[in-house]
């Protein structure tokens, strides 16, 4: 059976939010349509404590975009975003959630960031997503959401390494694009790791 994984479609990643992704809101109607094609849907939610180590504001004399060593992992520093129980951490208000089987929160440990919906960046913490999917007979996953070059990419790479047949729905994602070609680099990296890359219409019309 196949599952749709909706990654981090949260207010802070939408234009106007704290870590706005250009056109981040454009994925919402596409993902809502895609949900009609799946019986098994899960979502991930970036869910940081206010003292999270990935926030530049929590490191004196550091700025957004600087790199630090965060407990042995090279970490880029972000603006304060997706602080748990805040408006910015909520899902986009237009995103349909009725069919979701579960939501997997990540980034809850202040000492390590977590881009993937499966594991923390140091691979120690596990959200339980892999076991949940396997226990429900899921063998194939389709990934969409925000952002292509961070949380979608690492979710896709971990899905592949967990043995799922993995498809990226490329136009149902948008990238942070710190460098202008980060979107294409990320798609290339996922493809080379073994992901199938499709456009939403292939699923909507032929899926
Ligand atoms: C994300 C940066 C920091 C993402 C989350 O959802 O792609 N990016 N936290
Ligand atoms: Zn985050």
């Amino acid at each position: 059976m196949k599952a749709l994984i909706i990654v981090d479609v949260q207010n802070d990643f939408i234009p106007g939010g704290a870590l706005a992704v250009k056109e981040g809101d454009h994925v919402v109607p596409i993902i809502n349509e895609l949900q009609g094609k799946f019986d098994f849907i899960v979502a991930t939610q970036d869910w940081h404590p206010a003292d999270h180590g990935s926030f530049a504001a929590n490191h004196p004399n550091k700025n957004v975009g600087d790199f630090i060593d965060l407990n042995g992992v090279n970490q880029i520093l972000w603006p304060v975003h997706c602080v748990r129980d805040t408006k910015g951490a909520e899902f986009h208000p237009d995103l349909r959630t009725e069919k979701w089987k579960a939501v997997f929160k990540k980034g809850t440990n202040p000492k390590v960031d977590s881009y993937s919906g499966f594991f923390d960046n140091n691979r120690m913490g596990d959200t339980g997503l892999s076991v949940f999917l396997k226990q429900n007979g899921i063998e194939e996953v389709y990934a969409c959401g925000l952002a292509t070059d961070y949380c979608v990419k690492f979710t896709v790479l971990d899905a592949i390494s967990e043995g799922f047949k993995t498809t990226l729905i490329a136009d149902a994602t948008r990238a942070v694009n710190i460098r202008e070609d980060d979107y294409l680099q990320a798609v290339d990296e996922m493809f080379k790791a073994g992901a199938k890359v499709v456009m939403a219409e292939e699923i909507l019309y032929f899926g």
Side-chain angles (χ1 to χ4, degrees):
M1 194 162 67
K2 61 178 186 169
L4 181 67
I5 304 177
I6 302 170
V7 177
D8 298 4
V9 182
Q10 296 167 255
N11 291 323
D12 270 341
F13 299 123
I14 302 291
L19 211 174
V21 174
K22 192 179 165 211
E23 298 183 351
D25 51 331
H26 291 203
V27 304
V28 174
I30 304 173
I31 292 172
N32 282 342
E33 255 202 279
L34 285 166
Q35 295 195 63
K37 293 285 179 182
F38 289 84
D39 295 324
F40 201 99
I41 303 170
V42 296
T44 68
Q45 191 171 25
D46 212 33
W47 195 254
H48 299 305
D51 64 348
H52 198 265
S54 76
F55 298 163
N58 291 330
H59 302 275
N61 308 316
K62 293 288 178 193
N63 298 305
V64 169
D66 289 350
F67 284 86
I68 61 159
D69 178 292
L70 187 61
N71 298 296
V73 179
N74 193 32
Q75 172 72 47
I76 192 167
L77 294 176
W78 299 109
V80 174
H81 67 279
C82 295
V83 173
R84 64 183 177 210
D85 300 310
T86 65
K87 199 93 200 146
E90 288 175 14
F91 294 109
H92 187 288
D94 297 338
L95 186 67
R96 308 297 300 263
T97 62
E98 301 82 11
K99 288 176 71 180
W100 296 2
K101 302 284 190 212
V103 173
F104 291 84
K105 291 180 161 57
K106 63 188 183 59
T108 58
N109 178 353
K111 295 185 169 59
V112 60
D113 211 355
S114 185
Y115 295 141
S116 157
F118 291 92
F119 304 107
D120 289 343
N121 291 0
N122 62 7
R123 276 215 152 230
M124 279 169 43
D126 178 343
T127 62
L129 175 56
S130 187
V131 164
F132 182 76
L133 294 172
K134 285 171 184 169
Q135 278 176 347
N136 283 280
I138 303 298
E139 289 158 349
E140 198 177 344
V141 300
Y142 290 72
C144 59
L146 305 170
T148 326
D149 40 356
Y150 290 93
C151 292
V152 173
K153 180 177 92 173
F154 287 98
T155 299
V156 163
L157 296 178
D158 279 347
I160 294 166
S161 70
E162 285 298 292
F164 296 99
K165 188 177 170 207
T166 305
T167 299
L168 170 73
I169 311 172
D171 58 338
T173 74
R174 288 295 187 280
V176 177
N177 278 342
I178 290 176
R179 283 183 321 227
E180 120 184 71
D181 67 344
D182 281 353
Y183 169 83
L184 283 176
Q185 289 254 352
V187 173
D188 191 52
E189 201 176 324
M190 289 183 264
F191 177 73
K192 286 186 174 137
K196 188 175 172 195
V197 179
V198 302
M199 294 293 152
E201 62 179 16
E202 292 178 50
I203 291 160
L204 294 172
Y205 301 145
F206 311 115

